[in-house]
Amino acid sequence: MDDGVYVGNAGRDAALDRGWLLGHFKGDGDPRQSDAVEIKWGVHPSGDQRAQWVRGEERTALLVLISGRFRVELPGRSVLLERQGDYVVWGHGVDHSWVAEEESVVLTVRWPSLPGYAVPEKEQTASRT
């Protein structure tokens, strides 16, 4: 029955779309499709890092540590998330990158949901996004 409701599991569903649970990239008619917000359940092995910096950021982001030890690199600043619930928020114009210092799970919320920030496929082979 298509009642506009989706029930899932973040761990299972995240594996299907590079961690992304909700955003502009979900199909029309999918209750998880949104141009307003993106949500990611990121599961990262130790040493995993973003293949390249996000430049020209047009979104606001909130990243919350669920488990592990995770570092977010910002211009002139490095933020270490090491206790469950530690989080960082950055806004429009703030470039960023990240590295998992230990196996980590992080929840990322970004708004609005805009195309054009995915690492090109050939660069993803060395690191998951």
Side-chain angles (χ1 to χ4, degrees):
M1 176 166 80
D2 183 13
D3 59 1
V5 175
Y6 182 92
V7 177
N9 174 276
R12 275 194 312 271
D13 290 354
L16 303 175
D17 199 4
R18 295 188 339 225
W20 293 102
L21 302 175
L22 188 142
H24 74 275
F25 34 78
K26 296 295 184 184
D28 289 339
D30 187 327
R32 299 170 298 162
Q33 194 285 332
S34 173
D35 292 330
V37 66
E38 299 173 348
I39 298 177
K40 180 177 186 179
W41 183 259
V43 178
H44 303 280
S46 182
D48 195 19
Q49 62 185 1
R50 194 169 205 297
Q52 63 189 30
W53 277 65
V54 172
R55 306 247 183 235
E57 181 63 80
E58 296 181 29
R59 305 160 299 180
T60 298
L62 162 71
L63 191 144
V64 182
L65 181 70
I66 305 300
S67 65
R69 186 176 164 102
F70 199 83
R71 185 173 299 276
V72 178
E73 299 292 345
L74 305 164
R77 185 172 188 181
S78 183
V79 176
L80 178 62
L81 307 176
E82 56 187 331
R83 290 182 311 273
Q84 185 178 57
D86 284 354
Y87 68 94
V88 59
V89 177
W90 64 90
H92 184 270
V94 179
D95 298 340
H96 71 279
S97 191
W98 52 260
V99 61
E101 293 189 353
E102 295 177 354
E103 183 175 325
S104 300
V105 176
V106 294
L107 178 71
T108 303
V109 181
R110 297 191 303 210
W111 61 95
S113 181
L114 300 172
Y117 289 94
V119 174
E121 288 296 321
K122 67 179 182 175
E123 295 181 34
Q124 288 181 29
T125 58
S127 175
R128 301 177 343 190
T129 61

